[in-house]
Amino acid sequence: MDGINITHGSVRINETHRGIALPIFMFAGGAIGNIVAIIVLSVSRQERKSSAFYTLVCGLAVTDLLGTCLASPFTIANYLDPHVLTNDHLCEFDSFLLLFFCVTGLSIICAMAAERYLAICCPYTYQRWGVDRRFAQKFLLGIYISNTLFCCLPMMGMSKSQLQPSGTWCFIDWRAQEPVAAIYSILYGVVSVLLILGTIVLNLAVCAALLLMRQRTVQRPVTRASVRERWRALSSAAETQMMTVLLMTSAVVLACSAPLVVRVFANQFMMKNSDADLAAIRIAAVNPILDPWIYILLRRSLFRRLLSLSRRGSSTRSSSPIPTMISTQRNLFYPEIMKDSHVFTQLMRNTNILTQLPYTVKFTRQDAESLHQT
């Protein structure tokens, strides 16, 4: 009998070790990846560090890092001791963390899409509001405060948290029949859906605007060949890189968050499936691991190399020399272009991108009206 007990005990220990390996791996991957991403963003050039877009990107990386470092230890501890989350206060805090970091990630990615939309489609409003690094920091603070209050409502009595059937995580009682608790579950799902739809719509609007501007640039006659070269360099190096970061990050965040949002509605309408709930929360936990590698791999330097290689290939086919990416970017704005008002106005109409203009260049309402007329 003693031998049988030892055998069962060793099997239980082996199962625990196998089960705990996954959360430890996810914790290490999320923490290391986001730390590297924050370092990469911090050592970037001054103009990137001072832009609103990259401030929001850094805010998303910090949010992912905090979510990984705060939520993962509860899961790891629960594998070591299954009674950890039976404590009501710890269960409520774990539920708060999952609610908060899911909706905060969606909020920040929607803010990134809104920033690109204002910069490209509404440049006068972008400048009038003074959208810069400090503006983005204040907006991030507003996102954190509002989402904290929203996700604290279950602890204030509007809903209640409970240990899920798998016994490894806590979440709101999304099958509750009480009217107030049901309203909160539906409200959380509706807010998440609105953020997802807003991100998709804004991204589509920005992509359409960039395609339209590029088409107009190709079709409209230009007084100097350098203007078109500057537009090509500007759009390829700056806007293409930022839009690629935005679109890929949006795809990852939305794909990882959508299953959990779907399960919120499904459970509220009595479509119970504990395995689907567990799969949804695990997919959401993958998001902080994937996000930082988008920032790391899509660095400006990598984009420059790819664009330089593509232009060398096109120049070889057309037998016409095209300046490399670096030399073109260094000559984006020569002093003489400021003296030629016609060329500068043409450049403004062709690019419509304020975030890349020098600080001394001001964009007036008359310029915006002329842009809409053309």
Side-chain angles (χ1 to χ4, degrees):
M1 294 296 293
D2 292 338
I4 295 175
N5 290 336
I6 292 173
T7 302
H8 283 297
S10 62
V11 170
R12 189 178 301 108
I13 291 174
N14 289 335
E15 290 178 352
T16 301
H17 287 170
R18 284 197 299 268
I20 202 175
L22 179 61
I24 290 178
F25 171 77
M26 296 178 69
F27 170 71
I32 295 173
N34 282 287
I35 290 174
V36 173
I38 292 172
I39 293 174
V40 168
L41 292 170
S42 300
V43 300
S44 61
R45 292 185 177 182
Q46 183 62 33
E47 60 268 19
R48 290 182 61 188
K49 290 193 290 185
S50 61
S51 69
F53 180 80
Y54 282 101
T55 301
L56 294 173
V57 171
C58 189
L60 183 60
V62 172
T63 302
D64 288 340
L65 178 62
L66 290 176
T68 300
C69 293
L70 292 176
S72 294
F74 283 97
T75 304
I76 296 173
N78 194 72
Y79 274 98
L80 298 175
D81 182 4
H83 301 290
V84 169
L85 292 179
T86 56
N87 183 286
D88 292 339
H89 298 294
L90 291 179
C91 187
E92 286 183 350
F93 185 64
D94 186 49
S95 175
F96 164 79
L97 292 176
L98 296 180
L99 289 170
F100 175 79
F101 286 107
C102 181
V103 73
T104 300
L106 291 175
S107 302
I108 295 176
I109 202 69
C110 187
M112 291 166 58
E115 190 274 343
R116 286 292 84 203
Y117 175 81
L118 287 176
I120 294 173
C121 301
C122 307
Y124 177 75
T125 303
Y126 189 91
Q127 187 186 34
R128 186 181 62 183
W129 288 0
V131 181
D132 54 7
R133 179 171 176 268
R134 184 170 298 179
F135 183 94
Q137 290 174 342
K138 293 178 180 178
F139 199 83
L140 282 173
L141 180 61
I143 289 176
Y144 292 145
I145 293 175
S146 59
N147 287 336
T148 299
L149 295 176
F150 179 57
C151 296
C152 279
L153 292 178
M155 291 187 289
M156 298 177 182
M158 191 170 183
S159 182
K160 62 179 181 179
S161 302
Q162 65 176 10
L163 185 64
Q164 299 302 309
S166 65
T168 56
W169 60 295
C170 291
F171 206 66
I172 56 175
D173 185 8
W174 41 19
R175 302 184 183 98
Q177 297 300 311
E178 295 83 0
V180 177
I183 289 174
Y184 181 81
S185 297
I186 295 176
L187 180 62
Y188 184 85
V190 168
V191 170
S192 301
V193 169
L194 291 177
L195 291 172
I196 292 173
L197 292 178
T199 302
I200 294 174
V201 171
L202 290 170
N203 283 339
L204 291 177
V206 170
C207 291
L210 286 176
L211 291 175
L212 182 61
M213 284 192 291
R214 186 179 292 271
Q215 184 179 7
R216 288 179 177 176
T217 303
V218 173
Q219 294 177 351
R220 183 179 298 167
V222 197
T223 56
R224 289 186 182 180
S226 60
V227 174
R228 181 171 294 176
E229 292 173 1
R230 291 188 179 97
W231 155 245
R232 187 182 295 114
L234 187 62
S235 61
S236 299
E239 294 303 319
T240 304
Q241 195 254 358
M242 282 191 283
M243 281 306 304
T244 304
V245 171
L246 175 59
L247 292 177
M248 293 192 65
T249 307
S250 299
V252 171
V253 173
L254 299 185
C256 293
S257 303
L260 185 61
V261 177
V262 171
R263 294 308 306 166
V264 169
F265 287 106
N267 280 282
Q268 191 58 43
F269 293 104
M270 299 304 163
M271 299 172 62
K272 300 179 181 180
N273 189 334
S274 299
D275 293 335
D277 296 342
L278 181 60
I281 198 65
R282 284 178 173 174
I283 292 174
V286 173
N287 179 39
I289 301 175
L290 299 179
D291 277 347
W293 295 106
I294 298 176
Y295 324 140
I296 296 170
L297 297 177
L298 296 182
R299 299 189 307 274
R300 182 76 62 87
S301 58
L302 178 61
F303 251 76
R304 285 176 177 171
R305 293 191 186 100
L306 294 176
L307 289 172
S308 298
L309 291 174
S310 64
R311 290 189 178 182
R312 287 174 186 173
S314 61
S315 63
T316 303
R317 290 191 299 269
S318 60
S319 300
S320 60
I322 299 178
T324 60
M325 194 62 231
I326 299 176
S327 61
T328 307
Q329 278 195 324
R330 288 176 179 174
N331 299 302
L332 279 177
F333 293 99
Y334 284 111
E336 61 265 23
I337 197 172
M338 299 301 179
K339 300 177 182 179
D340 191 338
S341 60
H342 173 71
V343 176
F344 179 68
T345 303
Q346 187 69 37
L347 178 62
M348 288 287 294
R349 291 175 178 174
N350 287 340
T351 59
N352 198 17
I353 301 171
L354 283 181
T355 53
Q356 303 299 321
L357 293 178
Y359 181 74
T360 55
V361 178
K362 299 299 182 182
F363 196 74
T364 63
R365 185 185 296 272
Q366 290 75 15
D367 295 322
E369 293 174 354
S370 64
L371 280 173
H372 288 297
Q373 291 174 0
T374 55

